[in-house]
Amino acid sequence: MALAKLNMLANVYRIERTNEAFRAVYDELSDVRNMNRAIIMRAGNGDESDAMQIFHDVLMRILDKDVEFGRVFHSSLKNARIDFFRKRKRERTRQRSLDAMTDESADEGAATPKVLRSDYDLEHEVLKTKEADHRQVIDFLVDPTQVDTVTTLIVTEFPKHKTVTALAKALGLHHEVVKRKLHALSRRYDANRFGDYRDYLAV
């Protein structure tokens, strides 16, 4: 892929801000998108949805910057993968620590560990009232330690628009990006426990 062509397409998008201009950049990056997906999945630390989330986050962030798109995008995508792998490693370490705490507490005869506050506590809060239910779930969905600012904006603006396409247009995003963000969001959400996550966004 010629960086000069990619830079030219990115500049056209920055000027026109149309779906067609975005699609041109997106299609030009198809090989990079596939490579990124292969690296993430081969590492065993994520799946296709994680790979697409990383790709889209970097794409939208760099497209909005006044920089040489091709060079900065490639280096930023590589750094984003590194950050993702580090985050997953920290999560695995934290989970092992929680598992060890649970096992230790059980050995001591306690019914539950003393300092665990995760989905169990969230479920208790959800059951309190209808209003608290919605607020708690929304806060969970847009936890800034788990989602980016674009996802938070999508969740905030979701009730104001009848379709994903209308929402994407209002935010200046491609509708495929909005769909991917919502799909990634749904993967963090327990539909069996709380129902369809879109019911909360529509309130």
Side-chain angles (χ1 to χ4, degrees):
M1 173 181 52
L3 288 180
K5 180 179 180 181
L6 185 57
N7 289 336
M8 182 269 294
L9 293 174
N11 287 335
V12 170
Y13 170 78
R14 287 164 177 161
I15 295 171
E16 298 181 356
R17 296 284 174 171
T18 63
N19 282 343
E20 291 75 15
F22 179 88
R23 174 55 67 179
V25 177
Y26 196 81
D27 289 346
E28 187 69 15
L29 289 168
S30 61
D31 290 342
V32 178
R33 194 164 59 250
N34 292 335
M35 177 204 68
N36 180 68
R37 180 169 59 245
I39 292 173
I40 295 294
M41 297 181 70
R42 187 167 58 242
N45 287 329
D47 58 20
E48 181 174 359
S49 183
D50 293 317
M52 295 304 291
Q53 175 83 18
I54 292 169
F55 177 85
H56 285 138
D57 287 348
V58 174
L59 175 60
M60 298 310 300
R61 177 162 51 86
I62 304 305
L63 265 180
D64 282 336
K65 289 186 176 182
D66 185 18
V67 296
E68 181 187 338
F69 177 79
R71 178 179 57 81
V72 176
F73 173 80
H74 283 293
S75 62
S76 296
L77 184 61
K78 179 180 179 180
N79 290 335
R81 283 196 302 269
I82 293 173
D83 290 343
F84 174 77
F85 292 143
R86 286 174 177 168
K87 180 181 177 182
R88 282 299 172 90
K89 183 178 181 180
R90 289 194 301 268
E91 289 174 349
R92 289 196 303 271
T93 300
R94 185 163 55 245
Q95 186 59 50
R96 284 195 295 268
S97 297
L98 290 173
D99 290 343
M101 288 171 56
T102 303
D103 292 341
E104 181 180 341
S105 181
D107 290 341
E108 294 174 356
T112 56
K114 294 180 179 180
V115 292
L116 279 180
R117 290 179 59 86
S118 57
D119 288 345
Y120 300 103
D121 192 49
L122 175 61
E123 182 176 13
H124 173 71
E125 293 296 321
V126 166
L127 294 174
K128 284 185 177 180
T129 65
K130 183 83 172 173
E131 183 178 354
D133 178 4
H134 285 79
R135 186 68 264 158
Q136 186 81 11
V137 173
I138 290 296
D139 288 346
F140 172 75
L141 289 175
V142 297
D143 180 353
T145 66
Q146 300 293 326
V147 300
D148 58 23
T149 54
V150 175
T151 300
T152 300
L153 183 61
I154 290 171
V155 171
T156 302
E157 297 296 316
F158 190 95
K160 302 177 183 178
H161 304 278
K162 294 182 178 180
T163 66
V164 169
T165 301
L167 171 61
K169 184 176 182 180
L171 297 178
L173 300 172
H174 192 276
H175 67 273
E176 288 296 334
V177 173
V178 175
K179 287 181 180 179
R180 287 286 183 180
K181 293 286 187 183
L182 290 172
H183 176 68
L185 193 67
S186 71
R187 294 173 63 247
R188 299 184 52 246
Y189 179 83
D190 188 347
N192 291 328
R193 181 180 299 171
F194 303 126
D196 191 333
Y197 76 97
R198 286 169 294 193
D199 292 340
Y200 294 94
L201 301 187
V203 171

Coordinates of all heavy atoms in Angstrom, one line a residue, residues 13 19 22 60 64 150 153-154 165 167-178 181:
Y13 N -10.8 13.0 3.1 CA -11.8 12.7 4.2 C -11.9 13.9 5.2 O -12.9 14.4 5.6 CB -11.5 11.5 5.0 CG -12.4 11.3 6.2 CD1 -13.8 10.9 6.1 CD2 -11.9 11.7 7.5 CE1 -14.6 10.9 7.2 CE2 -12.8 11.6 8.6 CZ -14.1 11.2 8.4 OH -14.9 11.1 9.5
N19 N -19.2 9.8 4.0 CA -19.1 8.4 4.1 C -18.3 7.8 3.0 O -17.5 6.8 3.2 CB -20.5 7.7 4.1 CG -21.2 7.9 5.5 OD1 -20.6 8.1 6.5 ND2 -22.5 7.7 5.5
F22 N -14.7 8.4 3.7 CA -14.2 7.5 4.8 C -14.1 6.1 4.2 O -13.1 5.4 4.6 CB -15.3 7.5 5.9 CG -14.9 6.5 7.1 CD1 -14.1 7.0 8.1 CD2 -15.4 5.2 7.1 CE1 -13.8 6.1 9.1 CE2 -15.0 4.4 8.1 CZ -14.2 4.8 9.1
M60 N -10.1 6.3 13.8 CA -10.8 7.6 14.1 C -10.0 8.6 14.8 O -10.1 9.8 14.5 CB -12.1 7.2 14.9 CG -13.1 6.3 14.2 SD -13.5 6.8 12.5 CE -14.2 8.4 12.7
D64 N -8.7 12.3 12.8 CA -9.1 13.6 13.3 C -7.9 14.5 13.6 O -8.1 15.6 14.1 CB -9.9 13.4 14.5 CG -11.4 13.0 14.2 OD1 -11.8 13.3 13.0 OD2 -12.1 12.4 15.0
V150 N -15.2 8.0 22.4 CA -16.1 7.8 21.3 C -17.3 6.9 21.7 O -18.5 7.3 21.4 CB -15.4 7.3 20.0 CG1 -16.5 7.0 18.9 CG2 -14.4 8.2 19.6
L153 N -19.6 8.8 24.0 CA -20.4 9.8 23.2 C -21.6 9.1 22.5 O -22.7 9.6 22.5 CB -19.5 10.5 22.2 CG -20.2 11.6 21.3 CD1 -20.7 12.7 22.2 CD2 -19.2 12.2 20.3
I154 N -21.3 7.9 21.9 CA -22.3 7.1 21.2 C -23.4 6.7 22.2 O -24.6 6.9 21.9 CB -21.7 5.9 20.6 CG1 -20.8 6.2 19.4 CG2 -22.8 4.9 20.1 CD1 -20.0 5.1 18.8
T165 N -27.6 4.8 11.7 CA -27.1 5.7 10.6 C -27.3 7.1 11.0 O -26.4 8.0 10.7 CB -27.9 5.4 9.3 OG1 -27.7 4.0 8.9 CG2 -27.4 6.2 8.2
L167 N -27.5 8.4 14.0 CA -26.6 8.6 15.1 C -25.2 8.9 14.5 O -24.5 9.9 14.9 CB -26.6 7.5 16.1 CG -25.6 7.5 17.2 CD1 -25.7 8.7 18.1 CD2 -25.7 6.2 18.0
A168 N -24.8 8.0 13.6 CA -23.4 8.1 13.1 C -23.3 9.5 12.3 O -22.3 10.1 12.5 CB -23.2 7.0 12.1
K169 N -24.3 9.8 11.6 CA -24.2 11.1 10.8 C -24.1 12.3 11.7 O -23.4 13.2 11.5 CB -25.5 11.2 9.9 CG -25.5 12.4 9.0 CD -26.7 12.4 8.1 CE -26.6 13.6 7.1 NZ -27.8 13.6 6.2
A170 N -24.9 12.2 12.8 CA -24.9 13.4 13.8 C -23.5 13.5 14.5 O -23.1 14.6 14.8 CB -26.0 13.2 14.8
L171 N -22.9 12.4 14.7 CA -21.6 12.4 15.3 C -20.4 12.6 14.4 O -19.2 12.6 14.8 CB -21.4 11.1 16.1 CG -22.4 10.9 17.3 CD1 -22.1 9.5 18.0 CD2 -22.3 12.0 18.3
G172 N -20.7 12.6 13.1 CA -19.6 12.7 12.1 C -18.8 11.4 12.0 O -17.6 11.4 11.6
L173 N -19.4 10.3 12.2 CA -18.7 9.0 12.2 C -19.3 8.1 11.1 O -20.5 8.3 10.7 CB -18.9 8.2 13.5 CG -18.3 8.9 14.8 CD1 -18.7 8.1 16.0 CD2 -16.8 9.0 14.7
H174 N -18.6 7.2 10.6 CA -19.1 6.2 9.7 C -20.0 5.2 10.4 O -19.7 4.9 11.6 CB -18.0 5.4 9.0 CG -18.5 4.6 7.8 ND1 -19.0 3.3 7.9 CD2 -18.5 4.9 6.5 CE1 -19.3 2.9 6.7 NE2 -19.0 3.8 5.8
H175 N -21.2 4.8 9.8 CA -22.1 4.0 10.6 C -21.5 2.6 11.0 O -21.9 2.0 12.0 CB -23.4 3.8 9.8 CG -23.2 3.0 8.5 ND1 -22.8 3.6 7.3 CD2 -23.3 1.7 8.2 CE1 -22.7 2.7 6.4 NE2 -23.0 1.5 6.9
E176 N -20.5 2.2 10.2 CA -19.9 0.9 10.5 C -19.1 1.0 11.8 O -19.0 0.1 12.6 CB -19.0 0.4 9.4 CG -19.7 -0.1 8.2 CD -20.5 -1.3 8.5 OE1 -20.2 -2.1 9.4 OE2 -21.6 -1.6 7.8
V177 N -18.5 2.2 12.0 CA -17.7 2.4 13.3 C -18.7 2.4 14.5 O -18.4 1.8 15.5 CB -17.0 3.8 13.2 CG1 -16.4 4.1 14.6 CG2 -15.9 3.8 12.1
V178 N -19.8 3.0 14.3 CA -20.8 3.1 15.4 C -21.3 1.6 15.7 O -21.4 1.2 16.9 CB -22.0 4.0 15.1 CG1 -23.1 3.9 16.2 CG2 -21.5 5.4 14.9
K181 N -18.6 -0.2 17.6 CA -18.5 0.2 19.0 C -19.6 -0.4 19.8 O -19.4 -0.8 20.9 CB -18.6 1.8 19.0 CG -17.4 2.5 18.4 CD -16.2 2.4 19.2 CE -15.1 3.3 18.7 NZ -13.8 3.2 19.5

